[in-house]
Amino acid sequence: MFDKIDIEATVPDYIQEVFETDRLSKDIMFGDIAFVPVKCLITRTIKYYQAKVENLLITYKHRNSIIRVTNSIHKFAKGNNYSEMSFKELCQALNRIVEITGIRLEQWKLKKMEIAFNIETERKGTEYLALFSTFKNKIPDKMRKDAYWYGIKWFFSEYQLKIYDKTEEVKRHDKISLDANILRFEIVIAKMRKIPVVSLLSDLQSEEKLTLLFDFFISEIEKIKTIETVDFSQVSKERDIEMFFASQNESYWQTQKEINPDKVKEKRRRYNRILDMVSNRDTMNTFLERLQQKFLQFISS
């Protein structure tokens, strides 16, 4: 259910004393963790200290006694982020962070996080990308590896929503071939006020709060408009059909913004009404069902 996390805590006094004592010798050891000083290129003064435990990057900012842990909790638990992770495995991975740092779960604040689920599909994930039309009246940007289009994303100031062919992404980024066709739905939270239901690392061990978090996730995915099987029999106006086809091209909306910006929102609403009339959501409903099943499988294991 989770991939990358970004968490932050104030270092407790008893740990701070260990850090400061070691820092006088320019090397910081905390348990088995070796922190390396990172210096400013210009002044050569120490900016902060960093350590790596498996895939997790741990940063200690000595000036304000802040410690930060970033990277994929899924990879930390499983070694990859395409296999299934259970709720139990998530809890074990979070407890390991406590063991490594000596800082309790409830002392860690969530700063950023990724919520994601992989579902298996009958066809390659890339073959479904054209189905996804708009989200909150925005046309998606393409996700590419070199020239290859493997996913789509919508970018907002507080979060991003992504849908992509995980099988293809793993193949092109990690040079690993997976047996299954995997389509990934992912929400990247850049500002935690977007999901106030969770704020502390300890919240990720609460089944109740994870259920509320999933409710947010699925409610966002449900807002995606799709174009599947198109039937114009319910459309009585020829100009509505013309608008439907014109709206498939981003240049149409760019032109509308230039010539009549005050009417763009109204035209978007009209387009969405036409889309709801002409296209079914059979494939999208199947995806939503599978995502629900994935969450139930995760939370019960």
Side-chain angles (χ1 to χ4, degrees):
M1 180 170 179
F2 299 101
D3 195 11
K4 290 182 181 177
I5 60 169
D6 187 335
I7 57 176
E8 184 179 273
T10 300
V11 177
D13 290 341
Y14 69 94
I15 297 178
Q16 179 70 12
E17 290 173 8
V18 175
F19 279 166
E20 286 305 305
T21 301
D22 287 348
R23 203 167 70 80
L24 297 175
S25 64
K26 296 186 180 179
D27 293 323
I28 291 182
M29 291 296 299
F30 186 72
D32 295 328
I33 309 174
F35 283 85
V36 176
V38 178
K39 296 181 179 181
C40 174
L41 293 175
I42 299 173
T43 64
R44 303 306 298 165
T45 56
I46 296 173
K47 294 165 59 180
Y48 49 82
Y49 293 81
Q50 279 192 333
K52 198 161 186 184
V53 178
E54 296 177 31
N55 70 305
L56 295 184
L57 185 65
I58 306 175
T59 303
Y60 169 54
K61 299 178 181 179
H62 59 285
R63 289 189 176 88
N64 55 6
S65 302
I66 293 294
I67 191 166
R68 199 160 193 154
V69 177
T70 57
N71 225 326
S72 171
I73 192 69
H74 195 142
K75 287 184 179 179
F76 184 58
K78 301 287 291 184
N80 63 70
N81 66 348
Y82 50 81
S83 61
E84 301 294 337
M85 179 170 67
S86 67
F87 177 52
K88 182 180 178 181
E89 288 170 330
L90 171 64
C91 292
Q92 289 171 344
L94 297 177
N95 289 336
R96 281 188 64 201
I97 292 176
V98 175
E99 292 170 9
I100 290 166
T101 63
I103 300 174
R104 300 192 305 274
L105 287 175
E106 61 271 18
Q107 293 176 289
W108 289 99
K109 293 180 182 178
L110 290 164
K111 307 299 288 184
K112 299 177 184 178
M113 65 187 301
E114 292 179 354
I115 314 163
F117 286 91
N118 300 327
I119 60 172
E120 291 192 17
T121 54
E122 287 73 22
R123 306 195 306 273
K124 289 182 63 175
T126 50
E127 295 182 27
Y128 295 98
L129 298 179
L131 296 179
F132 305 108
S133 174
T134 59
F135 174 67
K136 295 188 174 180
N137 292 328
K138 288 185 70 172
I139 292 173
D141 295 323
K142 291 182 178 181
M143 297 171 62
R144 298 181 184 274
K145 172 62 175 174
D146 300 323
Y148 189 83
W149 176 33
Y150 70 93
I152 56 174
K153 65 179 178 180
W154 290 269
F155 180 84
F156 301 91
S157 60
E158 296 185 336
Y159 70 111
Q160 296 176 50
L161 193 157
K162 302 178 182 180
I163 305 171
Y164 57 97
D165 186 330
K166 186 63 178 176
T167 303
E168 198 63 47
E169 189 243 11
V170 170
K171 178 182 177 181
R172 292 179 180 270
H173 284 84
D174 303 326
K175 311 301 180 187
I176 297 173
S177 296
L178 304 179
D179 293 334
N181 294 319
I182 299 174
L183 188 65
R184 185 177 180 90
F185 291 79
E186 179 177 296
I187 296 180
V188 181
I189 305 296
K191 296 181 181 178
M192 292 306 296
R193 65 187 179 190
K194 181 67 183 175
I195 46 169
V197 66
V198 293
S199 59
L200 304 175
L201 196 57
S202 55
D203 292 336
L204 303 188
Q205 289 195 344
S206 164
E207 292 186 32
E208 180 183 354
K209 292 193 174 184
L210 289 184
T211 300
L212 292 172
L213 189 58
F214 177 76
D215 289 344
F216 158 78
F217 172 85
I218 203 71
S219 69
E220 294 297 294
I221 303 300
E222 286 172 343
K223 294 172 187 172
I224 299 171
K225 298 288 186 180
T226 58
I227 300 177
E228 300 183 26
T229 304
V230 176
D231 178 5
F232 292 105
S233 62
Q234 301 301 313
V235 182
S236 57
K237 298 177 181 178
E238 186 67 29
R239 63 181 182 179
D240 284 346
I241 298 176
E242 291 173 359
M243 183 188 182
F244 174 81
F245 285 109
S247 298
Q248 306 312 306
N249 194 324
E250 181 61 20
S251 63
Y252 169 81
W253 294 108
Q254 292 297 334
T255 303
Q256 295 303 312
K257 287 177 185 177
E258 292 169 8
I259 64 175
N260 203 352
D262 295 336
K263 294 290 184 179
V264 171
K265 284 188 178 180
E266 183 182 324
K267 285 181 177 289
R268 287 283 192 188
R269 286 194 291 269
R270 180 183 163 201
Y271 167 71
N272 286 332
R273 287 195 297 271
I274 298 169
L275 181 58
D276 290 340
M277 280 192 293
V278 304
S279 178
N280 67 49
R281 281 175 61 86
D282 292 348
T283 303
M284 189 61 179
N285 288 336
T286 299
F287 290 160
L288 291 168
E289 245 178 69
R290 291 179 184 176
L291 289 169
Q292 293 274 6
Q293 291 167 0
K294 282 290 181 179
F295 174 71
L296 292 175
Q297 179 183 329
F298 161 78
I299 204 69
S300 61
S301 59

